[in-house]
Amino acid sequence: MIPFEYRRAEDTDSAVTAVAADPRAVFLAGGTNLVDHLKLGITAPDELVDVTDLPLDAIEDTPEGGLRIGATVRNSDLAASPPVRERYRALSLALLSGASGQLRNRATTGGNLLQRTRCPYFQEITTPCNKRSPGTGCSALHGHNKNHAVLGASDSCVATHPSDMAVAMAALDGTVHVRSDRGERTIPVTELHRLPGEQPHRDTVLERGELITAVDLPPLPTGTYTAYRKVRERASYAFALVSVAAVLRVDNGVIDDVRLAFGGLAHKPWRAETVEERLRGATPAESTFREAAEAELSAARALADNAFKIPLARNTLGAVLRDLTTEAAR
Amino acid sequence: MTQHIGSGTAGSPVERLDGQAKVTGNAPYAFEQLTEGAVYLHPVRAPVARGRVTELETAAAEAVEGVRAVLLPGQVERLDTRDRELAVLQSREIAFRGQYVGAVLATTPENARYAASLVRVSCAEAPPDVALDSERADLYAPEVVNPSFETDTEQGDTDSALEEAAYSIDRTYRTPMEHNNPMEPHATVAYWDGGQLSLYDSTQGAHSVCDTLAPLFGLPADRVRVQAPHVGGGFGSKGMPHANVVLAALAARSVPETPVKFAVTRQQMFTVAGHRTPTIQRVRLGATRSGELTAIVHDVVEHTSRIKEFAEQTAVPTRNMYRAANRRTTHRLAALDVPVPSWMRAPGECPGMFALESAVDEMARECGQDPVDFRIRNEPSEDPETGLPFSSHNLAGCLRHGAERFGWYDRNASARSSPDAAGWVPGVGVAASTYPVLRSPGSRALVLAEGSGRYRVSIGAVDIGTGARTALTQIAADALDTEVSAIDLRIADTALPYASVAGGSSGTTSWGTAIHEAAGELRAEHGSAPPPGASAEGETTSNPESDRFAMHAHGAQFAEVRVHADTGEVRVPRMLGVFAVGQVINPRTARSQFLGGMTMGLSMALHEETVLDHTLGHVVNQDLAEYHIATNADVGSIEITWLDEQDPHVNPMGSKGIGEIGIVGTAAAVANAVQHATGARVRQLPITPDKLIS
Amino acid sequence: MERPVTLHVDGTVRKVSVDTRTTLLDGLRERLAVTAPKKGCDHGQCGACTVLLDGRRVLACLILAVTCDRSEVTTADGLGDSGSPHPVQRALLEHDGLQCGYCTPGQACSAVGMLDEAKAGWPSAVSGDLRQNVELTEEEIRERMSGNLCRCGAYPNIVAALREAIR
């Protein structure tokens, strides 16, 4: 860890100005990912601008009946907050499936969205990695790649995005509010993260100095059911092999709204648009789910160790939809 | 032999004597000693898996504030050793990725780590060879397998027996490289004062560290003092000192009269602290029409490092587990560019019994027999290898008692059930456990009467969490016919009488016997009320009974699993372990030992696997986020019980070792249960969802 | 870069100078000789360093000490009242919910934090209906304590101890 300055920002303006002024400054929120990376030598900023005191820790109803979640709201508070538990169950479940109680007590909404990959080559700085050191190559492509991407990967990078929360927010059509010294903008959660392409060192579309200030969730119509199912190699405290976030509404025996996102399959939360298209207007049936999943996953490309993710994703999606349609039919 | 101890405090569930210090965090571990004025060591590690260091640039590191020294290969004290694992910084050759090639000492841990990261290491690199495979042309037979068993054995004519068998199977099982990962990473505080080296070390054997390091530095043993008051687990990795201890001592030489603190990082634990070799095990069994085994062949392939051989005794339990007239066991090694393997809980028995107990299950099915009955039918009446009678042998008792308690015979015997509403498919499995009764002669104890009925009992033994501190106090109290509270037990220091390493489940036998002998001496000389200051020593000698009896502990493990039909996730809601281990000294701490062994076995079954990158040669999953050990949520109900077994031959306490038998067989019980649930036989650990998904 | 920081550790005010790089864990252990929190992985993957920071369970290894100025830190050593262990610690002793003891201070702090979270009605990943108040079943305790690894395998005893501590 190289020596660095530390500054505690008191308001959002001064935070974004401070980072804009120093090309090697970064924001520090809960620190659960950044401090890890400082120790590993993955990142070496010369200044940390602590944003945890900023007034961004509220969870509020929006005028449209949705929810605005401040960027510094801790994951545990968000998971436990009544509106999330009551209206956005998938988000609460996704948060609770991530990390551990101790980590959730620190991790923030903004930080969780910007969580970087758990690719073990990215994490070991003595190995080539295009995401960490552009142009050095991808060690995972022909190395150990059991936990790597099967959708949307490139020859430059086969890493997956590790967040559970982001998968749920992608399925819930969340919108990210971003602030910098140049002003504010909003980005759909589904467009925040990038596919690796030729530039895997860029995880998201955020420009340098942009600070996430909030995430908005639109309201869900009455009768909508949501779920999050995470499959992992331990019963708890492990990253996903595959996860599925689902939003579903069935009206008169027909699916009239369905939104699905996969975790663990790609460099970003993967909205399963093909499945959504096929299921909208369809009658819930096991075979329909399976065919839709297979259509989505026909684009999947397996590496040496991760072919299992394709049937696993199909089966998990099927199980989640089976449970949700059963629930909706009650 | 001596009389059996059954009364008194042995057998009573005394609360862990160091428990309060541990729950409040007041028990000091190695790294928490001598903090005042200490300097911190951070190592520089080889960035390639095979080759040679050509250059080390240190200027930037030396310029960091608070740096006191930078250690480089060839520029440190020459060590007197042919042990190339311990020949730290003695050459520039690189034998595995992550090997120590330098070190920085600084006044803060932050600066030591930062400065170490600034040392630029240039290497001449050769492609590493780390992939184990049973078809390798360079496999060789070691002279012996750990610690000194014959490499190969053969009885009868296995080829003909297999050919003539009514039923036969030929299966290959694989276990991965695994890492001990005690919660406390290896740590040392080293201090040189004149010609005296003092160490606080996280070790399973204070005297072992002294006996290894003293000659390395050309010192008589009495110039090296090692203390290990509390040790945060070891499971074998702390059984012998590794390179980190030598590096700490070497570094302390460069800053006399300054404590050097060196805690191995969790990442480094995957390269310098030993590991369990991966195994490829081919098991062939033959049986008669009525289900009697006629042939057992167990051929093992495993790896070792190029610089130091460790040959795990994987097929050794197969030599005496079941009756069969024809038997062959072999061990072959490949020496690779991998870190040095070493002991991990029940080396040999643990991976070996996964293969044997999986195969026996498959064979029982082949013969159309119940797996419990099949094992009982093939129980040997004497040691099949030596022909010696067993000092006690209660495998069948464990199986019968366990089957009844578990509800084994109520199960649906056919493999494969239907999923419940949530998609889970149930299954149950059984496997046998075994572990030899080992004893390390040479341990000594000193008993001193302090007056008023109080005694000080001294022995250099280490409690790594086994409960030895408590059990030895109980043994002393019994041998001196007094209460636990009257005993002041001093342990974990080479200033105390010699004690063997806490390994091979031999602690209670080796140390308890010495205490028992010392107490007997004291009473023989001074009667039941010795005057204050009266003392006596006792020593553990080799057991003459071991020429007349084969001595083993046994157990039976039952596991209930649920496998998810859609995702291949495996859960283990219930396990039962029934053991026959002679006299249990402390039921409370003993139960924890069994629980811990079975939990680690469950973890082995479902989670643990160290992955080597075949191109770069490093451990890919070198932390606890990627190397999975069981979490609380992975462990369901575990019931532990033991038979009332009397064995007057093993030692004066009548006790057998309990630290390792709990892990033996667990993984097979789980794999057998998975087969029962799904019909799928997983022969390669760990049983992760990818192996069950379809 | 050294910075002065004031911490309230186990009821005592401690002023200490830390490097901006110093974690709360190293600040406590190496600069204040408060060694109840243990370093098991230093990367938020084991839970041995769990302390209560302003009443919440957190991992001291992933928090920079400089961010904790004026915070209240409770370690396993400060859970109980003047010398007598906290009921959770007492229950761990009775149920032998420890062996080597290295994860134990973290388990104890985590358990105390976890019990408060449950009391506040927080759900967990196994709670099923998230709108209902939770009952701390064995399954709930296991899930909520899964951030604290124990290699000795004391989990069933830890769960039994916490079941008793709740009563």
Side-chain angles (χ1 to χ4, degrees):
Chain A
M1 217 189 291
I2 72 163
F4 51 77
E5 289 286 352
Y6 168 80
R7 171 202 302 230
R8 192 186 284 258
E10 269 149 29
D11 58 72
T12 312
D13 279 342
S14 65
V16 297
T17 311
V19 169
D22 178 353
R24 289 184 57 206
V26 297
F27 297 112
L28 169 70
T32 52
N33 202 210
L34 181 60
V35 176
D36 185 20
H37 286 185
L38 292 173
K39 292 184 194 191
L40 293 170
I42 292 170
T43 184
D46 66 1
E47 182 176 12
L48 304 188
V49 178
D50 188 339
V51 298
T52 50
D53 279 354
L54 302 186
L56 303 174
D57 62 347
I59 303 170
E60 302 161 317
D61 286 332
T62 61
E64 307 78 56
L67 205 63
R68 171 160 299 179
I69 300 158
T72 63
V73 173
R74 307 284 179 181
N75 283 179
S76 49
D77 290 319
L78 185 57
S81 80
V84 176
R85 285 158 73 177
E86 282 156 23
R87 286 146 55 189
Y88 303 99
R89 182 168 177 264
L91 176 58
S92 198
L93 283 176
L95 286 158
L96 295 169
S97 321
S100 67
Q102 291 95 311
L103 288 162
R104 295 193 292 270
N105 273 339
R106 288 295 289 182
T108 62
T109 309
N112 190 317
L113 281 173
L114 299 181
Q115 204 182 152
R116 307 203 68 190
T117 184
R118 301 300 301 197
C119 172
Y121 298 97
F122 173 74
Q123 298 218 314
E124 172 49 62
I125 62 166
T126 64
T127 66
C129 170
N130 288 322
K131 183 180 276 297
R132 177 173 25 78
S133 312
T136 54
C138 175
S139 299
L141 188 60
H142 300 293
H144 178 66
N145 47 36
K146 185 176 183 184
N147 297 328
H148 290 72
V150 294
L151 286 166
S154 71
D155 280 353
S156 298
C157 182
V158 293
T160 54
H161 193 261
S163 168
D164 293 294
M165 183 195 79
V167 178
M169 286 181 168
L172 290 165
D173 279 329
T175 306
V176 182
H177 291 256
V178 171
R179 180 90 174 266
S180 73
D181 64 334
R182 302 176 297 282
E184 294 184 25
R185 63 171 175 146
T186 58
I187 308 162
V189 170
T190 50
E191 290 167 30
L192 175 69
H193 302 95
R194 299 176 64 256
L195 289 179
E198 300 290 304
Q199 293 186 302
H201 61 285
R202 294 187 58 210
D203 293 351
T204 68
V205 299
L206 294 188
E207 300 294 335
R208 231 205 75 74
E210 283 190 315
L211 175 71
I212 294 176
T213 55
V215 176
D216 283 358
L217 299 181
L220 292 175
T222 317
T224 305
Y225 292 83
T226 76
Y228 188 76
R229 172 77 157 97
K230 180 175 183 179
V231 180
R232 44 186 158 178
E233 290 190 345
R234 288 197 291 214
S236 188
Y237 203 19
F239 291 92
L241 292 171
V242 166
S243 69
V244 173
V247 177
L248 182 87
R249 191 165 177 279
V250 179
D251 193 27
N252 284 323
V254 172
I255 296 172
D256 75 346
D257 184 17
V258 58
R259 285 173 272 161
L260 299 162
F262 284 116
L265 297 189
H267 197 257
K268 60 184 287 188
W270 188 269
R271 261 301 274 271
E273 286 167 3
T274 306
V275 183
E276 293 174 14
E277 260 165 49
R278 292 202 172 208
L279 294 187
R280 219 166 278 128
T283 310
E286 195 94 0
S287 57
T288 315
F289 301 155
R290 192 184 176 93
E291 282 158 24
E294 276 170 358
E296 181 82 45
L297 292 162
S298 65
R301 295 286 170 268
L303 303 162
D305 305 322
N306 68 359
F308 74 96
K309 281 192 172 184
I310 299 168
L312 180 59
R314 179 197 66 209
N315 291 3
T316 309
L317 184 79
V320 169
L321 289 171
R322 186 174 63 221
D323 290 351
L324 271 186
T325 48
T326 310
E327 205 180 331
R330 265 192 219 121
Chain B
M1 194 152 181
T2 351
Q3 86 285 1
H4 171 71
I5 297 175
S7 59
T9 70
S12 72
V14 176
E15 213 171 76
R16 203 173 280 272
L17 296 177
D18 49 10
Q20 181 147 335
K22 284 178 170 176
V23 294
T24 56
N26 284 305
Y29 293 77
F31 199 72
E32 296 156 8
Q33 309 280 349
L34 302 180
T35 296
E36 200 65 39
V39 297
Y40 294 83
L41 186 155
H42 200 90
V44 179
R45 305 169 72 209
V48 303
R50 182 174 191 169
R52 193 181 155 74
V53 175
T54 53
E55 203 185 344
L56 287 148
E57 285 178 53
T58 60
E62 281 159 7
V64 171
E65 184 191 344
V67 167
R68 294 279 303 275
V70 178
L71 276 65
L72 299 175
Q75 295 176 27
V76 296
E77 179 172 354
R78 301 313 300 174
L79 299 174
D80 184 9
T81 181
R82 272 180 297 181
D83 182 329
R84 290 169 68 198
E85 181 191 11
L86 300 182
V88 177
L89 305 188
Q90 302 295 296
S91 89
R92 289 176 164 241
E93 295 302 320
I94 297 169
F96 56 89
R97 193 167 167 129
Q99 191 176 9
Y100 296 142
V101 296
V104 173
L105 295 180
T107 50
T108 67
E110 294 82 16
N111 280 328
R113 184 171 189 154
Y114 172 48
S117 76
L118 297 178
V119 175
R120 274 243 321 264
V121 186
S122 307
C123 301
E125 188 180 353
D129 180 4
V130 300
L132 182 65
D133 162 0
S134 56
E135 302 305 313
R136 289 181 67 107
D138 60 351
L139 296 176
Y140 73 96
E143 271 180 33
V144 291
V145 292
N146 177 60
S148 52
F149 288 106
E150 282 179 80
T151 301
D152 298 347
T153 58
E154 179 137 28
Q155 290 170 289
D157 178 353
T158 50
D159 290 346
S160 312
L162 284 169
E163 209 161 286
E164 288 156 19
Y167 300 105
S168 65
I169 61 165
D170 179 352
R171 303 277 193 265
T172 298
Y173 303 88
R174 288 180 168 80
T175 62
M177 184 176 178
E178 294 166 357
H179 275 82
N180 311 53
N181 275 317
M183 291 313 298
E184 181 203 21
H186 294 211
T188 308
V189 178
Y191 182 82
W192 280 98
D193 182 6
Q196 170 84 31
L197 172 63
S198 301
L199 297 173
Y200 282 93
D201 193 37
S202 179
T203 178
Q204 292 172 225
H207 283 96
S208 312
V209 174
C210 173
D211 291 350
T212 306
L213 258 65
L216 221 60
F217 286 91
L219 295 172
D222 63 0
R223 306 306 295 274
V224 178
R225 183 173 177 196
V226 181
Q227 296 174 77
H230 292 281
V231 178
F235 316 108
S237 70
K238 295 171 183 170
M240 45 185 118
H242 296 292
N244 62 299
V245 185
V246 179
L247 182 57
L250 261 182
R253 249 318 198 216
S254 64
V255 285
E257 291 172 44
T258 305
V260 167
K261 298 179 68 169
F262 180 22
V264 173
T265 64
R266 182 56 66 183
Q267 285 82 359
Q268 292 162 23
M269 288 290 290
F270 287 84
T271 46
V272 299
H275 64 265
R276 197 197 292 286
T277 174
T279 68
I280 302 169
Q281 304 181 52
R282 184 177 178 196
V283 180
R284 280 169 283 178
L285 302 177
T288 62
R289 197 154 302 281
S290 54
E292 271 130 17
L293 287 169
T294 53
I296 305 177
V297 180
H298 193 167
D299 297 312
V300 181
V301 173
E302 52 199 40
H303 82 200
T304 186
S305 75
R306 263 189 221 293
I307 53 169
K308 182 173 177 177
E309 181 183 281
F310 177 80
E312 186 153 337
Q313 71 275 34
T314 309
V316 164
T318 299
R319 294 176 185 170
N320 49 41
M321 196 61 206
Y322 295 108
R323 193 179 58 234
N326 307 283
R327 184 186 316 259
R328 188 168 81 224
T329 62
T330 67
H331 297 85
R332 295 294 176 270
L333 300 186
L336 306 178
D337 301 314
V338 295
V340 182
S342 173
W343 298 326
M344 179 164 164
R345 204 172 200 164
E349 278 76 14
C350 176
M353 288 287 280
F354 165 68
L356 181 66
E357 287 299 295
S358 293
V360 163
D361 205 71
E362 296 202 52
M363 192 61 180
R365 224 165 277 283
E366 199 74 19
C367 299
Q369 296 202 357
D370 179 276
V372 168
D373 301 343
F374 183 78
R375 285 175 172 85
I376 293 172
R377 175 181 299 254
N378 286 287
E379 194 189 39
S381 49
E382 69 282 309
D383 181 352
E385 195 179 21
T386 60
L388 291 176
F390 289 102
S391 60
S392 54
H393 191 285
N394 285 296
L395 172 61
C398 291
L399 285 162
R400 283 198 188 96
H401 183 68
E404 188 184 325
R405 201 165 177 131
F406 192 75
W408 175 258
Y409 293 110
D410 303 338
R411 80 197 193 290
N412 167 10
S414 68
R416 222 179 266 186
S417 307
S418 333
D420 66 11
W424 295 98
V425 186
V428 292
V430 65
S433 306
T434 187
Y435 200 80
V437 178
L438 302 177
R439 151 189 315 227
S440 307
S443 288
R444 302 176 68 84
L446 176 70
V447 176
L448 170 74
E450 293 183 312
S452 319
R454 296 193 52 81
Y455 299 90
R456 178 190 297 177
V457 178
S458 302
I459 182 165
V462 174
D463 186 339
I464 57 171
T466 56
R469 192 176 256 112
T470 312
L472 294 181
T473 303
Q474 290 178 259
I475 288 169
D478 269 11
L480 292 159
D481 200 16
T482 183
E483 301 299 313
V484 162
S485 59
I487 305 295
D488 171 16
L489 181 77
R490 308 274 173 102
I491 59 167
D493 188 342
T494 54
L496 303 173
Y498 176 86
S500 57
V501 66
S505 301
S506 68
T508 302
T509 292
S510 306
W511 313 327
T513 301
I515 290 172
H516 195 268
E517 297 301 321
E521 275 299 306
L522 185 76
R523 305 206 51 173
E525 244 174 83
H526 302 282
S528 58
S535 69
E537 276 213 348
E539 180 172 347
T540 302
T541 55
S542 56
N543 186 353
E545 301 276 87
S546 58
D547 295 337
R548 300 204 296 126
F549 295 100
M551 301 180 186
H552 298 268
H554 287 96
Q557 304 218 14
F558 294 79
E560 178 184 322
V561 304
R562 293 183 305 152
V563 183
H564 200 279
D566 295 310
T567 63
E569 295 158 289
V570 180
R571 302 282 186 265
V572 184
R574 186 166 71 106
M575 292 201 291
L576 165 68
V578 182
F579 299 96
V581 291
Q583 169 71 36
V584 166
I585 308 291
N586 183 327
R588 184 192 303 252
T589 53
R591 182 174 164 276
S592 292
Q593 282 282 74
F594 293 125
L595 268 183
M598 289 175 69
T599 300
M600 201 179 272
L602 165 65
S603 188
M604 173 194 188
L606 300 186
H607 308 302
E608 295 188 34
E609 176 174 23
T610 304
V611 178
L612 289 169
D613 184 284
H614 289 185
T615 312
L616 300 165
H618 73 304
V619 173
V620 178
N621 54 338
Q622 53 179 349
D623 63 30
L624 292 177
E626 302 295 325
Y627 183 92
H628 289 161
I629 66 171
T631 68
N632 203 321
D634 291 295
V635 181
S637 148
I638 303 182
E639 194 189 349
I640 305 289
T641 187
W642 48 83
L643 305 184
D644 181 18
E645 185 180 73
Q646 316 276 323
D647 191 329
H649 306 294
V650 285
N651 60 39
M653 292 75 65
S655 65
K656 298 178 178 178
I658 57 173
E660 288 162 282
I661 191 168
I663 198 176
V664 179
T666 319
V670 172
N672 294 342
V674 167
Q675 198 278 337
H676 180 236
T678 64
R681 170 61 62 177
V682 180
R683 300 190 182 90
Q684 180 167 7
L685 294 181
I687 309 169
T688 41
D690 54 298
K691 300 196 176 85
L692 291 165
I693 195 82
S694 49
Chain C
M1 279 150 227
E2 294 279 321
R3 289 286 191 91
V5 170
T6 301
L7 299 172
H8 297 251
V9 184
D10 295 332
T12 308
V13 177
R14 305 289 301 267
K15 289 180 188 299
V16 62
S17 171
V18 295
D19 191 304
T20 50
R21 295 169 296 177
T22 305
T23 58
L24 176 58
L25 180 61
D26 282 344
L28 290 168
R29 286 174 61 83
E30 306 307 322
R31 304 220 175 193
L32 292 172
V34 174
T35 56
K38 303 301 181 195
K39 187 182 281 190
C41 74
D42 209 25
H43 288 271
Q45 301 164 354
C46 79
C49 67
T50 303
V51 296
L52 301 175
L53 181 66
D54 295 325
R56 284 188 166 202
R57 54 174 175 161
V58 297
L59 300 179
C61 73
L62 289 183
I63 297 173
L64 296 173
V66 68
T67 67
C68 300
D69 193 25
R70 297 190 298 277
S71 296
E72 195 173 305
V73 180
T74 306
T75 75
D77 194 26
L79 287 177
D81 296 326
S82 58
S84 70
H86 186 279
V88 160
Q89 292 170 315
R90 189 61 235 160
L92 285 170
L93 275 172
E94 273 164 25
H95 289 268
D96 208 36
L98 68 146
Q99 292 198 49
C100 81
Y102 200 75
C103 73
T104 312
Q107 300 275 2
C109 287
S110 186
V112 171
M114 179 279 283
L115 294 176
D116 281 347
E117 290 165 8
K119 208 173 285 173
W122 289 13
S124 83
V126 299
S127 297
D129 185 350
L130 300 182
R131 289 163 300 190
Q132 299 288 317
N133 270 341
V134 291
E135 187 203 337
L136 280 185
T137 59
E138 287 190 4
E139 188 191 15
E140 283 278 358
I141 292 171
R142 286 184 192 121
E143 163 58 24
R144 289 164 191 258
M145 290 300 292
S146 279
N148 293 84
L149 302 182
C150 170
R151 191 56 159 159
C152 295
Y155 298 133
N157 291 348
I158 291 169
V159 173
L162 297 187
R163 293 277 284 179
E164 184 183 302
I166 295 162
R167 272 184 230 125

